[in-house]
Amino acid sequence: MLDWTDRHYRYFARLMSANALLYTEMVTTGAILHGRGDYLAYNQEEHPLALQLGGSNPVDLARCAKLAAERGYDEVNLNVGCPSDRVQNGRFGACLMAEPELVAECVDAMKQVVDIPVTVKTRIGIDEQDSYAFLTQFIDVVSAKGCTDFTIHARKAWLQGLSPKENREIPPLDYERVYQLKRDYPALNIGINGGITTLEQAQLHLAQLDGVMMGREAYQNPYILAQVDQILCGSQKAVISREDVIEAMLPYIEAHLLSGGRLNHITRHMIGLFQGLPGARAWRRYLSENAHKNGSGIEVVKQAFQNIQAEVTE
């Protein structure tokens, strides 16, 4: 979710669900330790929040995990699932599935210095190494070092020949393999990711697994998060309306603008708020055409919403 689930998106998402565990975009150890910016910055309202790390050096990962714990993150997640060339060249992401001993060493190094959970997100296989035995060997080696929480993207990754986008769509989904993993490792917390687009689907997965991760759907159709607490967590709290989400975002947007930020840094994450509803196109178009302009403020967001209301009442 590079460039997608930044702190602005996560603040927006948290308005709709108090219980969903939010993940940062993947941040490399090099960026945290040597970058010029503060790559661990977040808003306190985002909790519960997991830092998703990319790296393969146990010492560097341990340093970053310790910094994350000191900053108040609720979890550190090691990404062993991203298949992009840039990630492979840095020797992290999905290519690490071929090095379970190294992943285990990384997990162990992080667990030695933090009390918060250290978890792993991975695939069901890579390239021609996609047998169930390959997956279980990976789980065996990594769990032996104390990792008890795995999120499994139910597709294998082709490290050569497919783009990251194609790797999210072309390799077939195999949910049953993840279910079998849970049956064979009942003491582990096993979550699932990949191709999940409704909360009803999430309920079916949760009947057999411990967690469900949504990526693209939660970004492109963010209002799906508004019923997570009620449908999946048993909350009796009323579902927040889209209009109330917008109203709640306005003070946050104003604060961002006062600090020198631009409106489109935030509104780009709000484009899909009305996905599938009458007026959604008017909302998207107005924000896209106006939020990037110099001096744009909250009046752009208000006008975009008024355009929806006008289109719906015509």
Side-chain angles (χ1 to χ4, degrees), residues 21-24 47-53 61-62 64-70 72-79 106-121 142 145-151 188-189:
L21 175 63
L22 301 179
Y23 286 74
T24 68
H47 290 294
L49 179 64
L51 172 67
Q52 184 183 181
L53 281 174
L61 284 165
C64 292
K66 186 174 182 181
L67 288 172
E70 290 171 351
Y73 279 86
D74 301 293
E75 174 184 317
V76 174
N77 177 263
L78 180 61
N79 185 301
C106 292
V107 166
D108 185 49
M110 289 188 282
K111 287 183 67 65
Q112 292 294 329
V113 297
V114 301
D115 294 325
I116 60 176
V118 175
T119 66
V120 169
K121 181 177 186 291
V142 178
K145 287 296 186 179
C147 183
T148 59
D149 292 82
F150 295 85
T151 299
L188 298 180
N189 289 312

Side-chain angles (χ1 to χ4, degrees), residues 2 50 102 144 259-260 301:
L2 283 170
L102 177 57
S259 70
V301 181

Side-chain angles (χ1 to χ4, degrees), residues 230-300:
Q230 290 76 13
I231 293 178
L232 302 183
C233 304
S235 173
Q236 300 301 309
K237 186 177 179 180
V239 175
I240 188 171
S241 69
R242 289 176 175 84
E243 182 175 3
D244 285 344
V245 171
I246 294 170
E247 285 295 323
M249 282 299 294
L250 296 181
Y252 179 83
I253 293 172
E254 287 188 310
H256 175 67
L257 296 175
L258 286 173
S259 70
R262 296 180 65 87
L263 179 64
N264 65 319
H265 293 166
I266 297 175
T267 56
R268 71 188 185 96
H269 302 302
M270 301 172 64
I271 292 289
L273 183 59
F274 293 89
Q275 175 102 340
L277 294 184
R281 184 177 179 183
W283 165 264
R284 292 194 304 269
R285 183 172 61 243
Y286 194 83
L287 288 181
S288 298
E289 292 176 353
N290 295 280
H292 68 282
K293 295 178 180 178
N294 290 334
S296 292
I298 61 172
E299 71 281 350
V300 171

